[in-house]
Amino acid sequence: MRTQIHALTDPAAAAAAATSDTTISAAAASAVDKLLHQIHDRIYRVNSLKSRSLSSSSSRISVSTLDVSRFLPFDRLSAASLLDPEIIPSLRPLDAVESFSDLYRRIIKVSSSTIETAGLYLEQCALFRGMLDPKLFRKGLRLVRENAVEVNTKVVTAAWLRYERREDELVGSSAVDCCGRNVECPRACLKAGYGPESVYDQCDCRRQAINEENREEMEIDDGEGCSNSDSEELGFDMGFRVGEEEIRCMRYKIGMMSRPLKAMLYGEFVEGRRETIYFSQNGVSVEGMRALELYSRTNRVDCFDPCVVLELLSFANKFCCDELKSGCDVYLAGLVDGLERAVLLMEYGLEETAYHLVAACLQVFLRELPGALQKEKVMGFFCSSEAGKRLALVGHCSFQLYYFLGQIAMEVDMKSNTTVMLLERLVECAALKWQQQLGFHLLGCVMYVRNEYKDAEKWFQAAADAGHVYSMVGVARCKYKRGHKYMAYKLINSLLAEQRQTGWMYQERSLYCVGKEKISDLDKATELDPTLSFPYKYRAIQLAEEKMIGAAVSEISKIIGFKVSPDCLELRAWLSILQEDYEGALRDVRAILTLEPDYMMFNGRLHAEQLVDLLCSHVQQWSQADCWMQLYDRWSSVDDIGSLAVVHHMLANDPGKSLLRFRQSLLLLRLNCQKAAMRSLRLARNCSTSDHERLVYEGWILYDTGHREEALAKAEESISIQRSFEAFFLKAYALADTELDHESSSYIIQLLEEALRCPSDGLRKGQALNNLGSVYVDCEKLDLAADCYMNALNIKHTRAHQGLARVYHLKSQRKAAYDEMTKLIEKARNNASAYEKRSEYCDRDMAKKDLCMATQLNPLRTYPYRYRAAVLMDDHKENEAIAELSRALAFKPDLQLLHLRAAFHESMGDITSTLQDCEAALFLESTHADTLELYERARKRAEDQQQ
């Protein structure tokens, strides 16, 4: 659910204010007012198209008497109920470290029970999703796939991994395309069994295709496979009469197909004494009976027409022919090659309880998501309670299936009936406690967005009763929406009194109080969890209400500096308009469109593209050449949002430019907007005009989703077609993502030098030079590294200051290193990392100041907390050191923070806490060597103490 922010006071009132830095001048207000009227006119035209039934004379509002604030995105703060923070639709444990530790212990306990292990890793995925970290979530999905035993688990997980790359958006891709490895191979996923060692091996698709071609050729040469031979030669001793025709068979062969058939042909039934059995009333055609006879001798169904095989499948169910049913099931599953055929065969599969056929159809449906959500016939197989029961009968109604479907439905449209029905099925499948918590909570979130507050409260309360404390936020919010504000306040107040206090608790309580108490709660929420955006937005709007627009912009810019989101950018854009900073507003609106191309501003009244059109008339127009110059300037000043805006402008003039889409993806990755970055990469791939370019972008998509080996293969294939900067750079980058020895470092140097010889622009060559310098430093070739960094700086690659500072430091020139980082701080707009790095080149007091500034600019950076904690430990202030690390862990569970706190606990003799922190760290990264060593040491000490 996107947070919506409603309007400030009438901007016309701001025109009367005359304070120098905090208000808008009368002349500026006039210009702003003109733009606001233009926005209103545009909104009016859009709305008039939606409500043609209203007459023009009655619906048109006179501009001279217009109350502009009615049409703007912000309302008076008295309408606080309209300024709701988001209720996160995922699991949010009260103590993440404790939850991670508990789940890790359960995972290592049942490692030999593979079916249960896959379920535990799915629970891990649910917790990772609550952390809003796509990389960790994909890692969890891969662990589910590695430990999967059942076909349903394999099919759903593989489809989910594919969806995370959104391959459905790649032009020319198909739902049944194979990635080349077992982990996502459609054929491999239809085979049950446990095989974690082979899950990332090359699949057999290519070899099987060759074998099938050879087999078809052999059958053409030797026409006996599915032909009828002379009945006397074969010894047929009975017949089945279907209509007017008799199909001769071997009684023994037919009887061996199942116990019912054996009883019929050899038992006390009258058929056992007849040579000809009348079979017309059993729903079998002549063609079906001939195929059955042939199958009885060959045990093959692959030479029959699919319609005949369907008939055999029905016969097998009716007469309990398990082997025949399995053969028909597997054969029909192999015929599912697209959505149309899957829809056709799914009904047969459900009717005949054909496990593999349903799995194959299910696989196509899931790989066609999210498009399949719009197909009524497809959703008919999932949404209703009856549909869930039919899937359960065939063994394919699982919690994971509906978790996947429900998540995608929520992304597409949280308010739709389809979303509600899928989540209702999710709740029906929930057997474990965590599954119930998640299912109830998600249904509560959807009902809340649909304004069905009574039902939402019921589901949130069910989730809370199941142990999900965070769902009490939903209960309180629904009570408030239903007019019970004091009850909502008491509920959250009791949470704060009884539970461990968190930022979201104070944020929620602030909704139900006013004045100083409200501000105090918001400040406390930011102190406990600086990543919560609502307090920044509220404070910014309050400052704007008090005519302090500059301070309001500064307040909302604090969170934009480390956590970019469309709603915060929208608020800053609006404040910039009030400041008459149209370039700043245009920058933010273009950034919004990069993050969400369909974003609707002003509470859904106006598409962001239309606001861009209005703002463009108030700023200087740039040619494409001007844009390149602006891009260089912003790139060199490490202004990522400004760079995004320029790239968006350039793409408006040249939307098919794959190079610009790729630049866009790089900027989005810097801003940690991974979903938008992947979309830009896919667009770059789709817009590419050559095979070698397309392969590079496909390689980056694979690399960014954890498929390093496949990315290297794409880079090598691209180089084999044409040597290019991006192909060499991708190969070098992917190879560098491992522990490097001297030989591999030399090879990466060679690749980067090859890249620099190829044509490219200065932006990318600066990055290559910077990377080359880093490899030289690792090889202790400091002079060559310094040359690379200097060359990068000469083409305005500002980040090279950091590499050059490192060279100076290694040469024992600490003052020069400090000065170099100071240059970076002065040039870079986003400079939290620069302050952090500069702290390494100065004394302790100055380092503390730099690290405090780094935390103030970006509280998500963990090094400052670790440094301050280490200093406190050196000063024998153990409790303060633990508290410093715990402060960061409360809102950012991090491997390094957990490992350091575990080491501190060990040094203090607190083995229980040491074990818990180690387990939580290993939950995030199970192969972290230092934590594994510390964990084993702590376990031995714990065992010794017990003895």
Side-chain angles (χ1 to χ4, degrees):
M1 181 186 73
R2 183 186 304 131
T3 304
Q4 295 290 357
I5 307 171
H6 297 254
L8 305 168
T9 51
D10 187 347
T19 51
S20 60
D21 186 47
T22 59
T23 61
I24 305 174
S25 67
S30 176
V32 170
D33 206 41
K34 181 178 179 182
L35 177 58
L36 300 185
H37 283 90
Q38 290 177 333
I39 294 172
H40 160 254
D41 289 342
R42 184 64 63 91
I43 293 173
Y44 167 77
R45 286 196 294 273
V46 171
N47 289 340
S48 65
L49 293 174
K50 298 178 181 178
S51 53
R52 290 181 181 275
S53 60
L54 296 175
S55 65
S56 177
S57 59
S58 62
S59 62
R60 182 65 171 170
I61 301 173
S62 171
V63 173
S64 61
T65 61
L66 174 66
D67 178 10
V68 179
S69 66
R70 290 175 54 199
F71 300 94
L72 301 180
F74 317 112
D75 206 344
R76 294 180 182 273
L77 290 180
S78 57
S81 62
L82 298 177
L83 191 61
D84 290 346
E86 180 184 15
I87 300 176
I88 305 296
S90 56
L91 289 179
R92 291 195 77 182
L94 197 60
D95 186 337
V97 173
E98 182 181 338
S99 298
F100 292 176
S101 170
D102 173 67
L103 183 51
Y104 179 78
R105 284 197 302 272
R106 285 189 281 137
I107 288 172
I108 60 177
K109 234 180 236 185
V110 301
S111 57
S112 59
S113 176
T114 53
I115 294 178
E116 189 176 350
T117 303
L120 290 172
Y121 281 121
L122 181 62
E123 183 179 352
Q124 183 184 54
C125 284
L127 290 172
F128 282 159
R129 196 166 194 91
M131 294 174 65
L132 306 178
D133 188 331
K135 287 186 177 179
L136 278 177
F137 181 70
R138 286 193 296 267
K139 175 185 173 183
L141 282 178
R142 286 194 291 272
L143 286 169
V144 176
R145 177 63 184 88
E146 284 177 26
N147 291 275
V149 179
E150 298 175 333
V151 169
N152 181 267
T153 306
K154 293 182 179 183
V155 164
V156 177
T157 310
W160 207 334
L161 283 166
R162 186 177 187 274
Y163 176 79
E164 287 296 305
R165 292 197 304 279
R166 290 304 304 268
E167 288 205 4
D168 59 290
E169 293 184 1
L170 298 181
V171 174
S173 66
S174 165
V176 293
D177 283 347
C178 179
C179 68
R181 295 188 184 273
N182 289 326
V183 62
E184 292 180 38
C185 172
R187 293 191 183 188
C189 290
L190 293 176
K191 297 176 182 176
Y194 180 61
E197 300 85 4
S198 62
V199 73
Y200 295 109
D201 291 349
Q202 292 287 337
C203 64
D204 296 332
C205 284
R206 187 171 297 177
R207 181 174 55 81
Q208 286 179 358
I210 295 171
N211 289 344
E212 286 174 6
E213 289 178 7
N214 293 337
R215 187 172 64 190
E216 288 174 5
E217 290 175 2
M218 290 173 64
E219 288 175 358
I220 291 171
D221 294 337
D222 174 20
E224 289 185 18
C226 287
S227 63
N228 285 307
S229 300
D230 185 82
S231 60
E232 293 183 3
E233 284 183 19
L234 295 172
F236 291 154
D237 54 359
M238 64 162 294
F240 288 94
R241 180 170 291 278
V242 179
E244 299 300 321
E245 294 196 42
E246 181 178 343
I247 297 89
R248 301 296 294 171
C249 306
M250 297 171 67
R251 185 182 294 268
Y252 172 75
K253 292 287 186 181
I254 299 295
M256 289 298 292
M257 291 175 63
S258 73
R259 298 180 94 182
L261 287 174
K262 184 177 181 180
M264 181 182 73
L265 297 176
Y266 288 98
E268 298 300 321
F269 296 99
V270 67
E271 288 84 356
R273 298 187 294 274
R274 287 180 176 173
E275 185 178 341
T276 301
I277 299 173
Y278 290 88
F279 229 58
S280 298
Q281 303 303 315
N282 284 281
V284 184
S285 68
V286 173
E287 293 78 8
M289 205 64 221
R290 285 185 181 134
L292 181 68
E293 183 281 319
L294 191 55
Y295 172 81
S296 72
R297 292 185 285 113
T298 64
N299 282 336
R300 286 180 57 187
V301 297
D302 55 352
C303 50
F304 303 135
D305 184 89
C307 293
V308 173
V309 179
L310 286 169
E311 197 173 335
L312 290 179
L313 178 62
S314 178
F315 179 92
N317 263 333
K318 187 176 295 184
F319 291 95
C320 304
C321 305
D322 294 339
E323 192 174 338
L324 173 60
K325 179 178 179 178
S326 177
C328 294
D329 188 9
V330 172
Y331 173 72
L332 290 170
L335 298 179
V336 181
D337 58 358
L339 189 61
E340 185 176 349
R341 184 168 285 185
V343 171
L344 180 66
L345 291 175
M346 183 69 165
E347 189 61 46
Y348 287 104
L350 291 171
E351 188 67 28
E352 303 297 342
T353 62
Y355 183 80
H356 287 92
L357 177 56
V358 171
C361 296
L362 188 65
Q363 182 165 246
V364 171
F365 297 154
L366 298 181
R367 287 171 176 248
E368 288 281 358
L369 291 170
L373 286 173
Q374 312 306 320
K375 308 288 185 182
E376 187 176 343
K377 288 184 178 179
V378 174
M379 287 298 101
F381 295 122
F382 300 105
C383 287
S384 69
S385 182
E386 182 62 30
K389 291 175 182 176
R390 293 183 76 194
L391 284 170
L393 283 174
V394 76
H396 283 292
C397 185
S398 66
F399 180 86
Q400 185 179 357
L401 168 65
Y402 280 105
Y403 184 20
F404 180 30
L405 289 168
Q407 285 291 343
I408 297 176
M410 290 172 70
E411 288 179 21
V412 173
D413 183 3
M414 281 191 75
K415 296 182 179 182
S416 73
N417 291 333
T418 297
T419 302
V420 173
M421 289 189 286
L422 290 172
L423 291 179
E424 286 173 345
R425 304 292 80 74
L426 177 73
V427 167
E428 290 173 359
C429 294
L432 302 176
K433 186 176 179 181
W434 75 268
Q435 295 174 346
Q436 293 169 349
Q437 292 176 6
L438 180 61
F440 295 149
H441 183 72
L442 292 181
L443 254 178
C445 290
V446 168
M447 291 302 183
Y448 180 81
V449 173
R450 287 162 60 99
N451 299 329
E452 298 176 24
Y453 300 123
K454 186 176 181 179
D455 286 340
E457 183 178 341
K458 178 189 74 173
W459 291 115
F460 281 132
Q461 187 64 58
D465 292 343
H468 191 233
V469 178
Y470 177 69
S471 292
M472 294 302 292
V473 166
V475 176
R477 197 81 62 87
C478 292
K479 289 184 182 297
Y480 175 58
K481 291 291 186 180
R482 297 173 67 197
H484 306 299
K485 183 176 180 179
Y486 183 62
M487 291 178 65
Y489 178 84
K490 282 182 62 180
L491 188 62
I492 301 302
N493 217 31
S494 65
L495 267 186
L496 284 164
E498 298 166 6
Q499 303 285 354
R500 174 185 173 183
Q501 296 181 352
T502 63
W504 56 260
M505 292 180 187
Y506 282 99
Q507 173 181 269
E508 191 64 25
R509 192 175 71 173
S510 73
L511 299 178
Y512 316 127
C513 51
V514 295
K516 292 183 179 179
E517 186 181 357
K518 187 183 194 79
I519 297 303
S520 175
D521 276 355
L522 289 171
D523 291 344
K524 185 66 174 178
T526 299
E527 177 188 333
L528 292 174
D529 186 352
T531 66
L532 296 171
S533 61
F534 171 73
Y536 299 91
K537 290 187 285 188
Y538 187 93
R539 288 190 290 262
I541 292 176
Q542 186 183 50
L543 289 166
E545 283 279 313
E546 296 169 1
K547 313 297 188 296
M548 294 187 287
I549 308 298
V553 171
S554 297
E555 179 65 26
I556 196 62
S557 295
K558 290 178 183 177
I559 191 165
I560 292 174
F562 64 89
K563 184 182 177 183
V564 179
S565 63
D567 53 340
C568 291
L569 288 168
E570 180 183 2
L571 174 53
R572 191 170 73 174
W574 180 244
L575 295 171
S576 297
I577 290 174
L578 295 182
Q579 273 191 317
E580 205 182 6
D581 178 11
Y582 302 129
E583 289 188 357
L586 184 59
R587 171 204 62 210
D588 287 341
V589 178
R590 288 191 183 280
I592 289 170
L593 285 165
T594 304
L595 294 172
E596 291 189 22
D598 297 322
Y599 192 83
M600 298 295 292
M601 302 188 69
F602 304 166
N603 303 315
R605 292 186 177 96
L606 190 71
H607 196 286
E609 285 283 7
Q610 294 176 303
L611 185 56
V612 167
D613 294 339
L614 291 173
L615 288 169
C616 280
S617 62
H618 291 75
V619 300
Q620 182 181 351
Q621 301 302 304
W622 294 337
S623 66
Q624 202 75 344
D626 294 330
C627 287
W628 275 109
M629 293 300 295
Q630 292 290 334
L631 182 58
Y632 267 87
D633 289 342
R634 282 161 174 73
W635 198 287
S636 63
S637 63
V638 197
D639 177 8
D640 295 330
I641 292 178
S643 299
L644 270 184
V646 176
V647 171
H648 183 271
H649 187 179
M650 297 169 78
L651 282 167
N653 299 327
D654 191 0
K657 192 77 170 178
S658 59
L659 178 68
L660 291 174
R661 293 288 182 189
F662 181 56
R663 296 293 188 277
Q664 192 179 61
S665 72
L666 297 175
L667 291 164
L668 288 164
L669 283 174
R670 284 186 191 172
L671 293 167
N672 200 31
C673 301
Q674 295 187 38
K675 183 178 178 181
M678 293 304 296
R679 182 177 61 246
S680 294
L681 262 179
R682 290 191 295 271
L683 288 170
R685 182 265 186 196
N686 290 343
C687 293
S688 56
T689 56
S690 62
D691 288 342
H692 76 271
E693 186 183 17
R694 173 182 55 79
L695 287 165
V696 168
Y697 299 141
E698 288 176 355
W700 280 115
I701 291 171
L702 290 164
Y703 178 81
D704 288 336
T705 51
H707 299 272
R708 177 177 165 274
E709 295 298 327
E710 291 85 346
L712 280 170
K714 292 285 185 183
E716 289 166 357
E717 187 179 352
S718 177
I719 292 170
S720 69
I721 297 172
Q722 182 173 321
R723 298 161 65 84
S724 68
F725 173 90
E726 293 298 349
F728 280 115
F729 188 88
L730 169 60
K731 187 174 181 180
Y733 197 92
L735 285 172
D737 190 19
T738 55
E739 292 291 332
L740 299 180
D741 54 24
H742 178 75
E743 183 179 350
S744 55
S745 295
S746 299
Y747 185 49
I748 291 171
I749 289 171
Q750 180 184 339
L751 289 171
L752 289 172
E753 288 174 342
E754 289 289 346
L756 288 166
R757 293 190 190 101
C758 299
S760 186
D761 58 70
L763 298 176
R764 293 297 283 158
K765 290 209 169 184
Q767 181 66 62
L769 285 165
N770 196 60
N771 289 12
L772 183 57
S774 297
V775 181
Y776 277 135
V777 168
D778 293 339
C779 296
E780 299 182 355
K781 299 178 180 180
L782 300 184
D783 291 336
L784 289 172
D787 290 341
C788 288
Y789 292 129
M790 292 299 293
N791 289 333
L793 289 170
N794 289 336
I795 52 177
K796 293 190 173 183
H797 188 78
T798 308
R799 285 184 170 85
H801 282 297
Q802 182 170 320
L804 193 56
R806 184 184 175 197
V807 171
Y808 288 142
H809 175 66
L810 292 172
K811 289 183 174 182
S812 300
Q813 299 174 17
R814 204 175 183 203
K815 177 65 168 60
Y818 181 89
D819 292 342
E820 202 64 37
M821 290 308 301
T822 302
K823 294 177 185 177
L824 177 56
I825 289 171
E826 292 168 351
K827 292 180 182 179
R829 183 179 291 268
N830 299 325
N831 52 17
S833 62
Y835 276 107
E836 180 183 299
K837 200 65 182 176
R838 190 175 71 171
S839 70
E840 298 179 17
Y841 310 134
C842 53
D843 59 42
R844 177 181 285 192
D845 290 338
M846 294 178 69
K848 284 183 179 179
K849 290 180 181 179
D850 276 353
L851 291 174
C852 284
M853 178 59 73
T855 299
Q856 182 180 331
L857 293 171
N858 186 352
L860 293 174
R861 300 192 70 86
T862 61
Y863 174 76
Y865 300 98
R866 289 186 279 130
Y867 178 89
R868 289 189 290 263
V871 169
L872 288 167
M873 283 297 286
D874 288 344
D875 294 340
H876 304 289
K877 298 178 180 178
E878 291 87 354
N879 292 331
E880 290 91 334
I882 296 293
E884 178 67 22
L885 295 174
S886 301
R887 181 162 69 98
L889 285 167
F891 60 87
K892 183 180 172 62
D894 174 80
L895 172 64
Q896 298 295 338
L897 290 172
L898 286 165
H899 174 76
L900 184 59
R901 193 173 73 169
F904 287 176
H905 281 309
E906 184 193 35
S907 68
M908 296 165 65
D910 186 350
I911 301 303
T912 301
S913 297
T914 303
L915 288 170
Q916 185 179 75
D917 282 350
C918 284
E919 287 158 353
L922 294 170
F923 176 84
L924 297 173
E925 179 51 73
S926 60
T927 60
H928 190 249
D930 291 341
T931 304
L932 284 169
E933 181 182 345
L934 177 58
Y935 186 49
E936 288 303 316
R937 194 163 63 238
R939 287 178 69 177
K940 287 179 182 178
R941 288 184 62 181
E943 290 171 2
D944 292 342
Q945 288 178 0
Q946 289 178 354
Q947 292 175 357

